[in-house]
Amino acid sequence: MTQNSASKLLNGDTIHRSKQDKKAGGNGFVKNHCLFQQQQKRYRRPAEKSHHALYASLYKKPFVESFEETPLLVAVLTYMGYGILTIFGYLRDFLRDWKFEKCHLAREREEQKDFVPLYQDFENFYTRNLYMRIRDNWNRPIRSVPGAKMDLVERATPDYNWTFEHTGKVLKDVINMGSYNYLGFAENTGTCADAASECTVKYGMGVCSTRQELGNLDKHEELEKLTARFLGVESSMVFGMGFATNSMNIPALMGKGCLILSDELNHASLVLGARLSGATIRVYKHNNMQSLEKLLRDALIHGQPRTHRPWKKILILVEGIYSMEGSIVRLPEIVALKKKYKAYLYLDEAHSIGALGPRGRGVVDYFGLDPCDVDIMMGTFTKSFGAAGGYIGGKKELVDYLRLHSHSSVYATSMSPPITQQIITSMKCIMGEDGTTLGQERLRQLSENTTYFRRRLHEMGFIIYGNNDSPVVPLMLYMPAKIGAFGREMLKRNIGTVVVGFPATPIIESRARFCVSAAHTREMLDTALTAISEVGDLLQLKYSRKNRHGSEGTDCFSYLESHQD
Ligand SMILES: Cc1ncc(COP(=O)(O)O)c(C=O)c1O
């Protein structure tokens, strides 16, 4: 697992859910999943039925998405697991208070005991008592390029995961199932690496200035023109950091008196950007078009609270692929809604750009839509391009406006030259402008690998979430003890995986998250799948109650199926 991806699990990918929108599922706990599940089909209300029928024609191909419900017994055992951990947590905190056990986390100083607590003791409870037990699964240093295989630095802990020491050993050739290296461009050899190193010789590593001062290189302008062409939009602007692209550009567009409608599973950078903007934020259920339409309708009917003046503007915030669920945004329906209610649309393609669509142009390409239907196209270069940074694409006026008003343009240093070059070379490869078909082959390989990996996991009886075409594959672990055990057992078998728990997921929906790459060979995937199956048997993770060997249509129910009523 990469250090980057691992640390982001607990920091960057935090979810935010709408409390008022939660409904208890059949077994009594909250579920908010796909509209097109078979079960929901059975209980669908007439209004929902007409909604589906209305939007069916917007999709050109089957939209297959599955979120199998947590088995009741598993849910109960998971809650019990957390209950036991919490009791032990309190017991150990008691021992720490009485100095029987050492606490390594930041605590109030003795002489400031009567101050308002600086370190929010209770909020750290989870970190101290639950996360600390399995912390060895994260922040693991890697010692190679995070390609299909990688070298991991071995660590040992003398004090139950509070601190780590390097043993001096390296775990060689670990199959990397955790990096977002969708197209396999994270390489240290080949055309991209060569071009980046040549660029370093010419331009150096850093720019030492903002774009508006002395940090505007010809390379940046070349990349922006290329990105605009790649996306099929009038203009684009690039930024040195993906997170800041969201968190600094949303406040440049939205403010007081504006309304942001945000998917409940949006990335932390979108959430932060929305909060910093000062706009009113309303959260709709994940990928649920009825929930979004209701908010849009209410916004138009009621306007702003108290004054009932119309909202200055309404912005819908969505992602292309949701990196914790593996789901794909229902873009055709969202575009239809945004047009109907005259709202703006901000699409974050961090995980979908390069990874989806016949030409790798992301979710717009995947659905065969017009890029002009999305007002603000955002994405990052950190995943499919094996680089760093983010972009905003759209109309020329929008980009020109952001150049002047966005904090990440005015105050942040510009993108490093070798990174700019890495993106230019990989993007040209995807576009076929390098004179080869290597880009197309990578896209085809990713798609084949995704289908194969998902199908095999499903046949083995695991509960996996998300869309059939999503290279992000969450495999449900549920119980807290299984988070650590899964990561460790996989590593024993030389497979590096990312495991994810609360707060990046709902408390009982811990999971392992695999990222399929074009760089994985069939042999690597088979080795990983054999290990997953073994660990699955060992930890009893094959929870699925669906028909394992039937066609996908029998259990994953296609979009078309669910629209035929
Ligand atoms: C949806 C989404 N947006 C933005 C970002 C931030 O991008 P970066 O890691 O390039 O800063 C991420 C990171 O994972 C993401 O998943």
Side-chain angles (χ1 to χ4, degrees):
M1 106 187 59
T2 62
Q3 190 172 8
N4 181 26
S5 57
S7 54
K8 227 176 289 166
L9 304 175
L10 284 159
N11 305 327
D13 284 335
T14 315
I15 57 158
H16 64 135
R17 284 175 184 262
S18 58
K19 288 202 177 82
Q20 71 277 22
D21 278 334
K22 286 181 175 182
K23 283 204 180 88
N27 53 13
F29 56 90
V30 176
K31 287 299 286 181
N32 64 322
H33 287 319
C34 169
L35 293 171
F36 298 155
Q37 287 190 354
Q38 267 181 332
Q39 277 161 323
Q40 288 189 336
K41 195 173 155 190
R42 256 183 270 145
Y43 304 120
R44 195 176 295 146
R45 293 189 300 268
E48 289 173 344
K49 210 169 159 178
S50 61
H51 176 93
H52 293 324
L54 195 65
Y55 291 108
S57 59
L58 297 176
Y59 291 82
K60 296 185 178 124
K61 60 178 180 174
F63 186 78
V64 186
E65 208 144 274
S66 166
F67 295 95
E68 192 175 333
E69 200 161 350
T70 312
L72 178 60
L73 182 64
V74 175
V76 172
L77 290 175
T78 306
Y79 279 123
M80 278 170 65
Y82 277 108
I84 293 167
L85 278 172
T86 308
I87 293 168
F88 275 92
Y90 277 116
L91 191 66
R92 294 186 69 175
D93 270 1
F94 175 79
L95 295 176
R96 286 179 193 127
D97 279 347
W98 288 92
K99 310 263 184 304
F100 288 114
E101 195 182 319
K102 210 168 164 196
C103 183
H104 300 256
L105 274 189
R107 310 205 89 190
E108 310 313 321
R109 283 177 16 215
E110 216 36 66
E111 60 272 27
Q112 290 184 342
K113 274 277 182 228
D114 51 348
F115 281 40
V116 175
L118 187 59
Y119 303 115
Q120 312 262 326
D121 220 24
F122 186 77
E123 283 174 27
N124 287 335
F125 181 87
Y126 181 86
T127 315
R128 244 182 356 255
N129 296 306
L130 285 85
Y131 168 65
M132 210 42 83
R133 290 168 173 261
I134 50 172
R135 190 172 158 229
D136 53 308
N137 285 284
W138 290 280
N139 308 316
R140 190 181 284 282
I142 70 167
R143 218 196 62 163
S144 66
V145 69
K149 288 193 176 176
M150 60 186 170
D151 297 342
L152 292 184
V153 176
E154 195 185 74
R155 298 178 304 178
T157 173
D159 49 11
Y160 302 101
N161 291 344
W162 285 101
T163 58
F164 292 97
E165 288 161 6
H166 296 164
T167 61
K169 280 202 210 143
V170 174
L171 307 174
K172 287 252 172 215
D173 291 332
V174 175
I175 296 179
N176 179 0
M177 295 304 300
S179 298
Y180 312 124
N181 180 22
Y182 299 123
L183 290 180
F185 281 116
E187 295 166 313
N188 52 4
T189 53
T191 28
C192 289
D194 293 345
S197 68
E198 262 174 47
C199 181
T200 312
V201 173
K202 184 166 177 205
Y203 293 89
M205 295 295 287
V207 185
C208 309
S209 183
T210 64
R211 291 291 294 279
Q212 302 212 342
E213 289 159 357
L214 292 172
N216 191 26
L217 296 179
D218 54 351
K219 281 279 155 207
H220 296 133
E221 297 196 359
E222 184 186 342
L223 175 60
E224 287 177 346
K225 285 195 187 114
L226 185 69
T227 306
R229 239 174 351 102
F230 181 72
L231 297 171
V233 294
E234 281 178 19
S235 186
S236 87
M237 179 173 186
V238 299
F239 304 87
M241 186 187 182
F243 194 99
T245 309
N246 278 335
S247 58
M248 295 289 103
N249 282 300
I250 297 171
L253 294 168
M254 303 297 282
K256 215 163 171 280
C258 301
L259 175 65
I260 292 179
L261 301 179
S262 177
D263 187 292
E264 65 179 331
L265 297 188
N266 272 343
H267 188 260
S269 55
L270 291 166
V271 176
L272 181 65
R275 288 185 185 159
L276 288 177
S277 74
T280 301
I281 305 166
R282 292 196 181 139
V283 179
Y284 65 90
K285 284 202 261 178
H286 175 52
N287 234 351
N288 185 322
M289 294 306 110
Q290 281 104 323
S291 173
L292 174 60
E293 185 161 14
K294 184 174 181 311
L295 290 186
L296 280 165
R297 216 180 290 142
D298 286 352
L300 290 197
I301 295 169
H302 302 297
Q304 297 185 39
R306 285 197 301 276
T307 62
H308 295 291
R309 284 203 198 117
W311 293 101
K312 286 187 189 158
K313 50 192 154 183
I314 301 175
L315 181 70
I316 303 169
L317 283 188
V318 292
E319 289 181 32
I321 292 182
Y322 287 84
S323 61
M324 279 299 150
E325 311 297 293
S327 49
I328 296 179
V329 65
R330 295 179 177 281
L331 197 60
E333 292 175 67
I334 296 208
V335 168
L337 285 178
K338 85 150 212 119
K339 285 184 180 167
K340 184 172 166 189
Y341 293 96
K342 305 212 167 14
Y344 292 105
L345 176 59
Y346 185 110
L347 170 66
D348 178 341
E349 294 240 52
H351 287 268
S352 49
I353 196 75
L356 271 188
R359 298 174 312 136
R361 310 296 211 268
V363 75
V364 175
D365 185 27
Y366 176 76
F367 287 114
L369 297 173
D370 182 353
C372 299
D373 284 340
V374 179
D375 302 284
I376 301 126
M377 301 264 265
M378 181 272 168
T380 67
F381 300 117
T382 21
K383 281 97 187 164
S384 297
F385 301 91
Y391 66 80
I392 294 275
K395 292 253 177 277
K396 186 170 179 306
E397 303 86 72
L398 168 86
V399 175
D400 288 349
Y401 175 85
L402 289 175
R403 275 188 210 286
L404 289 179
H405 292 90
S406 161
H407 280 49
S408 51
S409 143
V410 181
Y411 296 109
T413 192
S414 52
M415 189 183 267
S416 161
I419 289 180
T420 316
Q421 186 60 55
Q422 162 81 16
I423 305 164
I424 292 174
T425 317
S426 54
M427 197 177 276
K428 282 190 174 165
C429 179
I430 301 172
M431 293 165 89
E433 291 191 3
D434 59 345
T436 71
T437 53
L438 289 174
Q440 268 305 316
E441 279 162 31
R442 284 179 195 253
L443 290 170
R444 187 188 42 77
Q445 192 63 49
L446 174 64
S447 160
E448 275 178 26
N449 284 356
T450 301
T451 311
Y452 178 71
F453 192 72
R454 280 188 163 269
R455 181 173 55 75
R456 288 285 310 277
L457 285 180
H458 178 70
E459 283 170 4
M460 286 173 188
F462 292 104
I463 294 188
I464 51 168
Y465 273 6
N467 193 292
N468 268 15
D469 292 326
S470 156
V472 180
V473 188
L475 180 151
M476 302 312 288
L477 304 173
Y478 300 111
M479 296 168 203
K482 293 188 181 179
I483 306 175
F486 186 84
R488 290 174 196 140
E489 287 297 327
M490 289 298 287
L491 196 54
K492 275 191 206 159
R493 289 160 178 79
N494 231 30
I495 318 286
T497 51
V498 166
V499 283
V500 199
F502 181 81
T505 67
I507 194 116
I508 67 154
E509 288 186 21
S510 303
R511 61 198 68 176
R513 185 187 54 177
F514 303 110
C515 291
V516 178
S517 166
H520 289 132
T521 60
R522 187 52 69 90
E523 195 192 349
M524 287 179 202
L525 290 183
D526 283 336
T527 311
L529 285 161
T530 309
I532 296 167
S533 182
E534 262 174 44
V535 177
D537 289 332
L538 184 73
L539 303 178
Q540 300 192 1
L541 295 173
K542 296 180 177 174
Y543 298 117
S544 180
R545 289 165 300 179
K546 287 183 175 175
N547 172 12
R548 293 175 194 183
H549 300 289
S551 70
E552 283 144 351
T554 55
D555 43 21
C556 291
F557 46 87
S558 72
Y559 160 83
L560 290 175
E561 237 186 305
S562 57
H563 282 73
Q564 274 161 358
D565 42 17

